[in-house]
Amino acid sequence: AYARYQAWTLGLLLAVVMAFTVGFVFAAPGAVYIYGNHITREQNGKISIAGPLTNLALGFIFLLIGFTLPAFANIASLGANVNFFLGAFNLLPFFPMDGQNVYAWNKLYWAALFFSMVILAFVQLI
């Protein structure tokens, strides 16, 4: 299997519109697509879950930094929140998000990771 980034003009347009209407920018100007001969649903799901799991790991690393180095608590909290939010967003079960492939492969893994990320992102906002 191999992966390729593909620009998504609509995602860039949505980011610009959100910046002016909602007041914050969440840019999704493209996505990574997985290609290969005869990739099974399980293989595609396992490849797709790698990104959100990386966000989860980075979120916990930022939390650990915040707890062990209080001088960096604010920036570490922001880093954790961004990663938990991005991971949850990427797990939405719609094209072109990774969540679509994870959900199609294993709904239990998808639900466990998605709801964990949503809860962690919410707790970080409080």
Side-chain angles (χ1 to χ4, degrees):
Y2 65 95
R4 181 172 64 103
Y5 174 81
Q6 190 171 351
W8 187 37
T9 308
L10 179 59
L12 182 58
L13 179 64
L14 288 172
V16 172
V17 170
M18 283 178 65
F20 289 107
T21 59
V22 181
F24 71 90
V25 177
F26 183 76
V32 175
Y33 295 91
I34 302 164
Y35 299 96
N37 294 330
H38 310 292
I39 296 175
T40 66
R41 182 175 285 176
E42 179 181 1
Q43 290 169 326
N44 202 11
K46 287 179 178 179
I47 292 167
S48 297
I49 205 169
L53 285 175
T54 301
N55 288 118
L56 183 66
L58 287 170
F60 281 120
I61 289 169
F62 276 111
L63 287 179
L64 181 63
I65 290 169
F67 287 127
T68 57
L69 301 170
F72 297 101
N74 287 341
I75 192 74
S77 179
L78 178 62
N81 192 42
V82 165
N83 275 281
F84 293 143
F85 178 79
L86 285 176
F89 182 80
N90 198 23
L91 281 167
L92 291 173
F94 307 109
F95 180 80
M97 306 302 183
D98 286 332
Q100 176 189 10
N101 298 327
V102 176
Y103 185 84
W105 161 53
N106 190 310
K107 291 168 182 51
L108 182 61
Y109 286 173
W110 173 85
L113 187 56
F114 177 73
F115 291 113
S116 296
M117 295 285 244
V118 168
I119 291 167
L120 288 164
F122 179 73
V123 168
Q124 282 296 297
L125 289 175
I126 296 174

